[in-house]
Amino acid sequence: MSLEAAKMDLKMKDITGSSIKEVNAEGLEIDNVNMAKSTINNTNMSGMTINDVNGGEMKLSNINLSGTSIQHANMSHMSIDHVHLFGTEFKNIVLPQEGDGNYNPEGNYKPIVFSNCNLSNMEINNCDITGLKINGILIEELLNKQIVK
């Protein structure tokens, strides 16, 4: 397939409902654009940088995110299903702080749940494990019993 080369400078345009197919759009700069309800299929986005984006209710499926870095993200109520996490690191994970939009002064937050997972060779280091349960067993109590022995 031969592509016609054309540099486009779209500014202050409403292109709602437009279709972009079989296009080489490498190196695009997209700034202050409303892409709500857009669909992106069969797209190479490797090396892409996404900053200051509202991705609420976004659905990602059949995605290769290996080597991806997610920083300063609100991932509350996110569902992660059938995912390969070997070598993945979760760092500096916190509950909302006073002043954050989703802060709850009573601390009533939906629990973080791992279900039907293979967590062999997993490490938890320097973490607050208050309330952490594994198969209904409160780990803090279990550790305290081991220390007392």
Side-chain angles (χ1 to χ4, degrees):
M1 169 179 59
S2 173
L3 298 179
E4 174 186 336
K7 185 175 180 182
M8 301 177 74
D9 190 8
L10 298 177
K11 188 173 185 179
M12 299 296 295
K13 302 282 185 197
D14 182 348
I15 60 171
T16 301
S18 295
S19 176
I20 300 172
K21 296 181 180 178
E22 299 180 16
V23 172
N24 180 359
E26 189 173 340
L28 278 182
E29 181 180 330
I30 299 172
D31 186 24
N32 198 23
V33 174
N34 181 354
M35 294 178 68
K37 300 179 185 173
S38 294
T39 301
I40 300 172
N41 295 309
N42 196 24
T43 302
N44 180 353
M45 298 169 82
S46 61
M48 185 178 197
T49 300
I50 301 174
N51 295 307
D52 195 22
V53 171
N54 178 357
E57 304 298 320
M58 189 165 71
K59 293 178 180 16
L60 302 173
S61 62
N62 218 5
I63 304 293
N64 177 357
L65 295 174
S66 56
T68 297
S69 172
I70 299 172
Q71 302 170 349
H72 308 288
N74 178 354
M75 296 169 62
S76 301
H77 305 284
M78 183 175 177
S79 173
I80 300 173
D81 184 19
H82 199 83
V83 175
H84 298 256
L85 290 176
F86 54 89
T88 300
E89 296 181 27
F90 292 88
K91 300 177 183 178
N92 303 311
I93 306 302
V94 297
L95 290 174
Q97 305 294 311
E98 190 170 355
D100 291 344
N102 54 351
Y103 174 72
N104 181 322
E106 286 84 39
N108 297 330
Y109 299 106
K110 186 177 175 184
I112 300 163
V113 177
F114 288 82
S115 298
N116 302 317
C117 299
N118 180 346
L119 299 177
S120 57
N121 298 315
M122 180 179 168
E123 293 183 23
I124 298 174
N125 299 308
N126 301 314
C127 296
D128 179 353
I129 60 165
T130 304
L132 172 65
K133 292 180 182 178
I134 299 178
N135 294 334
I137 300 168
L138 195 58
I139 300 306
E140 189 175 23
E141 287 179 3
L142 185 64
L143 291 174
N144 286 336
K145 287 178 185 176
Q146 287 290 14
I147 293 171
V148 173
K149 286 185 179 181

